[in-house]
Amino acid sequence: MISLSQDGAGFGDADAQVNVYIANRPSMAEYADLAAVEPLQSGEIELINRACGNGWRKLFNVYAKLLFALDAKQFSFTAQAKSWQLFRDRYLLQAQSNTALWFSAPRLNGDSQQIHIIAGRTYAKALLDAGLSAQLNWLNNEFAVDSYHRLLVCPYFDYRQLNNEKLLFLAQLIKELDETP
């Protein structure tokens, strides 16, 4: 059963502009009791990749690739590193990175400039069933938008589910959130 508790757990910057929400967390003892958003340290992504497998490597890679696909006028991720790989290794989900990966439900605020991305249609529907107050407009079978809450639903952050074409589509949807009156 999914809880919509106001307590948030995850990795990264608690005040991030780009927030991604997933249903699971790394199966490592050090993260089992994580009850807040904790910034990762340099090298910690690689540690998680080695301990938890290729699925986590894909998730971190896709997150970094998405950030580099975003419009540089809206977001400064490309100014911090020359490639998505360097951004992933040096900044992603670290303190003041402006990125967060949450293992809890989104805390939506229509006045915020934050972007909220639920990775996975099944997880999004479970959150809605649990009472998440979002008004999703399904664009197709994989993508949905709630412009007021700046909330998007997309395929899970995996190369096969969120391939390069779909990743660029997601980046365009994010750009359009700032163009919506």
Side-chain angles (χ1 to χ4, degrees):
M1 178 79 181
I2 292 180
S3 167
L4 294 182
S5 145
Q6 290 302 304
D7 298 328
F11 298 144
D13 180 348
D15 297 318
Q17 185 178 17
V18 180
N19 298 275
V20 175
Y21 302 85
I22 61 172
N24 56 338
R25 65 178 73 200
S27 57
M28 296 171 65
E30 49 266 62
Y31 306 126
D33 296 323
L34 190 65
V37 174
E38 302 275 337
L40 294 180
Q41 303 301 312
S42 180
E44 204 166 353
I45 283 179
E46 184 54 33
L47 178 76
I48 294 168
N49 290 343
R50 278 189 265 127
C52 298
N54 201 37
W56 283 95
R57 181 179 322 280
K58 290 176 186 178
L59 185 142
F60 294 131
N61 287 352
V62 169
Y63 197 162
K65 286 176 80 172
L66 171 64
L67 297 173
F68 264 64
L70 295 174
D71 191 331
K73 294 175 190 168
Q74 292 172 284
F75 304 95
S76 62
F77 300 113
T78 57
Q80 293 175 287
K82 292 183 181 190
S83 69
W84 65 263
Q85 295 93 335
L86 286 174
F87 184 86
R88 176 200 59 211
D89 296 341
R90 294 183 185 164
Y91 302 102
L92 184 66
L93 304 175
Q94 294 186 25
Q96 300 173 343
S97 66
N98 215 9
T99 60
L101 179 65
W102 298 81
F103 313 126
S104 53
R107 287 180 277 170
L108 302 175
N109 177 355
D111 297 331
S112 172
Q113 289 303 301
Q114 295 177 315
I115 304 290
H116 303 279
I117 304 167
I118 300 173
R121 180 185 63 213
T122 302
Y123 184 46
K125 288 183 176 182
L127 288 169
L128 290 169
D129 289 345
L132 181 66
S133 62
Q135 298 296 316
L136 293 174
N137 173 29
W138 287 92
L139 306 176
N140 57 37
N141 199 31
E142 299 175 302
F143 290 89
V145 178
D146 175 338
S147 297
Y148 176 76
H149 289 111
R150 298 174 58 84
L151 173 68
L152 301 146
V153 175
C154 70
Y156 190 75
F157 279 29
D158 176 280
Y159 302 138
R160 289 171 290 182
Q161 294 180 51
L162 190 61
N163 61 30
N164 287 338
E165 181 182 339
K166 292 176 184 178
L167 188 128
L168 292 175
F169 181 68
L170 177 59
Q172 180 62 35
L173 291 175
I174 293 169
K175 179 181 178 185
E176 290 172 4
L177 285 176
D178 284 335
E179 295 171 355
T180 302

